[in-house]
Amino acid sequence: MIWRIRSKTRSIITTMVSLRPSSVKLSPFSAITNSFTGFQRNWLSLRTEKLGRVDNTRLRLSSALKVKSFLRLDAWIISAGHAQELKSSKIQNMSISDGMEDFFDKIKQRPFAFHPYCPVLLKNRGEVEHFKTLAEVQSPQFMVIACVDSRVCPSNILGFQPGEAFMVRNVANLVPPLENGPTETNAAVEFAVKILQVQNIFVIGHSCCAGIQTLMTMQDDENPSFIEKWVGNAKVAKLRTKEDANHLSFDQQCKHCEKESINCSLLNLLTYPWIEERVRKGTLSLLGGYYDFLSCTFEIWTVDFKESNAFSHRSKLSVKDKVFWS
């Protein structure tokens, strides 16, 4: 019993050490990007702030040790220890609640993106009419399929404005072939092509993709996770990577697979008859894009469709009009 109570006392001390005073709370928005490159602003002040947090941590540890004797006495008085656990839980919940309030207070101070588009704030009459039209109907030129990664928002990278791009985001920006059945992604593609009549489908991948890393490391399993089942849609890209880049390091193989999976998704799009027909007629273009936020570059290419080719998600993709931005 004594050992268990002292163990609870140590956990309480650890909890108090981990609590962060409001003066050193950090907002998730403290590192705002300058541009599509993703560099952090005020990196020097951020470094100074980190050093300050180290000193504050030492002060908190010192303060926690001072109250150690009090906590030990409190723990001894409460024989079962349940009340102390409840007290600790309340402290943690109070910390979380305070953190959320601080989080939302900072959000409320941000210049919200929708403000410039509010008709009552627009001086240009043409823009007012444009957004009034958007309120009633959408007619985007692009359908964008991108990754759910928080670092690669297509609107921030490429500057899409409201109404320009119909988007769907999933793990590793994949498009399953027709034979794999219905998913949220191909349902969105069907809506974009058949209803919205988009002129371009743009599949955008990126560097350091955790979904592709999972694909490259996973083994055959009788009970795969949801993520493993999903990234399995790009197994063809993994096999090609192993064939073409087996001599490279794992990181280089992943980068190769990130691009290869984009091409596999573009080929998978052509397994849908209503997409293949439009591409054949020239009313729909399929494009691939790769954003490397390590080197701050962006690549774009277009599927080179030829009627003589028998397309399937296992065939090789011909591309044209490659563009490289840096």
Side-chain angles (χ1 to χ4, degrees), residues 37-49:
T37 58
F39 291 129
Q40 293 183 341
R41 291 178 178 173
N42 302 325
W43 65 270
L44 184 57
S45 61
L46 288 173
R47 179 175 176 83
T48 304
E49 187 176 8

Side-chain angles (χ1 to χ4, degrees), residues 132-245:
K132 282 184 178 180
T133 301
L134 282 182
E136 299 176 357
V137 64
Q138 61 173 324
S139 56
Q141 296 183 6
F142 284 88
M143 161 69 175
V144 174
I145 301 169
C147 185
V148 293
D149 193 302
S150 62
R151 301 165 292 183
V152 291
C153 176
S155 293
N156 286 345
I157 298 170
L158 297 175
F160 284 118
Q161 298 301 309
E164 289 184 341
F166 183 79
M167 297 189 188
V168 61
R169 299 177 68 175
N170 62 48
V171 174
N173 45 270
L174 302 180
V175 179
L178 176 65
E179 64 191 47
N180 285 21
T183 65
E184 180 183 8
T185 297
N186 51 30
V189 172
E190 183 178 34
F191 182 82
V193 173
K194 291 185 176 182
I195 307 301
L196 299 180
Q197 302 287 321
V198 296
Q199 301 173 17
N200 308 277
I201 299 180
F202 198 0
V203 181
I204 302 176
H206 67 94
S207 58
C208 303
C209 181
I212 296 300
Q213 291 172 5
T214 299
L215 172 68
M216 293 295 293
T217 57
M218 72 180 191
Q219 305 295 325
D220 292 334
D221 192 346
E222 293 182 359
N223 297 305
S225 65
F226 291 141
I227 296 176
E228 290 173 336
K229 284 184 178 180
W230 174 253
V231 298
N233 285 300
K235 279 186 177 179
V236 174
K238 177 181 179 179
L239 294 175
R240 288 179 180 165
T241 299
K242 292 297 184 182
E243 292 176 359
D244 301 338

